[in-house]
Structures are given as structure tokens and as C-alpha cells.
Amino acid sequence: MASGEPGDVGCYYFRFLPQKTFPFLSARETTSRLRQWSMLGRIEAQAFGFDQTFQAYRKDDFLLAFFKDPNVIPNLKLLSESSGQWITLGTEVKKIEAINVPCTQLSMSFFNRLYDEDIVRDSGHIVKCLDSFCDPFLISDELRKVLLEEDSEKYEIFSPPDREEFLFCLFKHLCLGGSLCQYEDVINPYLDTTKLIYKDLDSTGMCYPSTKHHEQTFSYFIVDPMKRHVNVLYHCFGVGEMS
């Protein structure tokens, strides 16, 4: 999260890399799924380069420099709350809140427990359940129940550290989708799209990623310290493109 108004920071310098593309944003099968999940047109990935060695303990300095950089401000995209149109950041920030998201889980076998615990059948079909609500989400299957309901019987199959993993976060975002999400009956589209996006990304007054907090409004910064690149994955909850 970032809040507006200028401050002063001196460290990293960034450059926008518009030539860097992310296949998941244009692959026909993926865009079809994102449309069904009400996320198409509301999700974006961008790449930026930086000039110094990345040091994880300086993550706050790194991101504050990012949001204040003159090459970032006119290029970092986000959705306008008022118009629903893509705009750029357009302002410096004085305060950021960054959370380290672990990336220790690299295999999709991480999700095998969904089969072992009868949340997903061997056929890949997601087990249905009686409807309930976890505002603003309708829970009508065991998958959304294990993702959202902390007091559910099987919630603990994913430990708190498991739930912090980037792989889990991506999966959960895709499973919950946008405000007019048409949920899948089988698990494979969620798993396949999670894997594709993960691979593509290489392995006061809040203004970014939005002025309004929502669990499905997010921005992840994936730093490659060797290439000195940072990939930004952004999504703003709402009604995605329908056609």
C-alpha cells in the first residue's frame, strides 16, 4: 500500500521496461478464464529495471524509491475508482507499507492436500457445500470454504505460513475472482493459471493499489536481484470485461 504526497528518499533509480511482456496476459486460454472470473481488464503486469544491488532488509527504502521515481510515476498503471479507466500513479508517495511474501513453495504438489482432504475429487471436480457468505464472497464449495472460513473443519490443512506463500496467494486470488466471477466446477483451470502466472513473473490516504481496501485488490512486486528487474502484478477488484 502507498499513500500520497511527496517526501525525500535517496537510493535506487528505476527505468520502465515496456518491451517486457507477460504471455499470460495475451494467451487465449488465460484471457478466457480471466474473463469468466471477472478479472480481465482489471489485472496488469509491468516490468521495471533498477540500478543497484537489491537488499531484502532495505525493502521499504526500495519501494519508497520506486513510488517516488520519475520513471515510475507516469508509467505505473492502476484503475481509477471514479471512472474505472486505466490511469498512471501520477503522484509521489510519502509512506509505504510492504510485506515480505515468501516464495519457498515452487511446486504445484503444494496443492495435493486438496485431493487428500476430499475438497477436490480425484476427477478434479470441486466438492460442493451448502451456501454461506463470507462478505462479499458466496461460499458454495469446499474450496472457497477452506480459503475463507477460518472456523471451518479443514481450514488448517494450510498453515499460516502456507497461506503467506506467493503461490498460495496467487491461487486464492484466482479462485475468488472479481465481483461477477463465474466459478469453476473443476480445479485444473485455477491450478494451471496459477502456475502460468507464477512462471511468467519469474518465479495517509492510500493511493495504490487503490484508495479502497479489498482482499482482491492487490499488488505484488517480484524482485529479480540478478537481472535487477522488478515485475509488478496488479489487480483491482470489480467487474471485469465481459466480451
Side-chain angles (χ1 to χ4, degrees), residues 8-228:
D8 190 288
V9 68
C11 49
Y12 299 91
Y13 293 93
F14 295 84
R15 66 188 185 282
F16 181 42
L17 303 175
Q19 72 277 11
K20 174 73 179 291
T21 59
F22 298 87
F24 81 88
L25 289 173
S26 57
R28 181 178 300 177
E29 188 172 25
T30 306
T31 55
S32 176
R33 290 170 179 168
L34 292 174
R35 179 179 290 109
Q36 178 177 335
W37 303 336
S38 196
M39 299 176 81
L40 189 66
R42 303 188 68 88
I43 190 167
E44 182 62 84
Q46 295 179 276
F48 296 82
F50 55 95
D51 68 330
Q52 297 185 38
T53 301
F54 175 75
Q55 297 168 312
Y57 74 91
R58 293 184 63 201
K59 64 178 174 61
D60 288 348
D61 289 341
F62 178 84
L63 284 176
L64 187 55
F66 177 86
F67 281 107
K68 294 175 67 63
D69 193 282
N71 291 315
V72 171
I73 292 171
N75 289 302
L76 184 65
K77 297 172 68 175
L78 67 157
L79 280 171
S80 166
E81 289 290 341
S82 57
S83 70
Q85 300 298 310
W86 285 102
I87 58 174
T88 55
L89 183 62
T91 184
E92 294 184 4
V93 301
K94 66 176 182 179
K95 180 181 177 182
I96 59 99
E97 178 183 345
I99 300 171
N100 276 326
V101 179
C103 296
T104 62
Q105 296 293 337
L106 304 176
S107 170
M108 299 305 291
S109 63
F110 177 71
F111 297 106
N112 285 352
R113 68 196 79 181
L114 295 173
Y115 296 90
D116 299 338
E117 296 291 335
D118 297 322
I119 292 163
V120 178
R121 304 190 192 283
D122 289 343
S123 63
H125 284 80
I126 301 165
V127 176
K128 301 297 182 181
C129 68
L130 294 176
D131 287 355
S132 62
F133 285 91
C134 184
D135 192 42
F137 301 105
L138 170 66
I139 297 175
S140 57
D141 58 50
E142 295 291 336
L143 176 59
R144 274 171 280 165
K145 184 183 289 187
V146 82
L147 293 176
L148 292 169
E149 286 192 359
E150 295 185 19
D151 58 353
S152 66
E153 179 184 355
K154 297 177 181 178
Y155 187 84
E156 293 183 358
I157 69 169
F158 291 103
S159 68
D162 287 338
R163 291 172 181 272
E164 294 175 357
E165 288 283 338
F166 184 45
L167 194 65
F168 181 90
C169 293
L170 272 181
F171 176 74
K172 181 178 178 180
H173 288 313
L174 295 175
C175 291
L176 298 181
S179 59
L180 293 180
C181 181
Q182 301 173 56
Y183 296 108
E184 300 286 346
D185 292 322
V186 294
I187 193 73
N188 285 348
Y190 296 132
L191 294 175
D192 292 346
T193 309
T194 298
K195 182 178 180 180
L196 179 60
I197 295 177
Y198 195 103
K199 183 178 178 181
D200 267 6
L201 294 171
D202 199 6
S203 331
T204 291
M206 189 168 66
C207 63
Y208 185 88
S210 172
T211 57
K212 298 178 181 178
H213 172 76
H214 194 283
E215 183 173 5
Q216 284 296 94
T217 294
F218 56 83
S219 184
Y220 292 96
F221 290 73
I222 303 90
V223 179
D224 185 333
M226 302 300 292
K227 294 181 180 178
R228 293 185 178 177

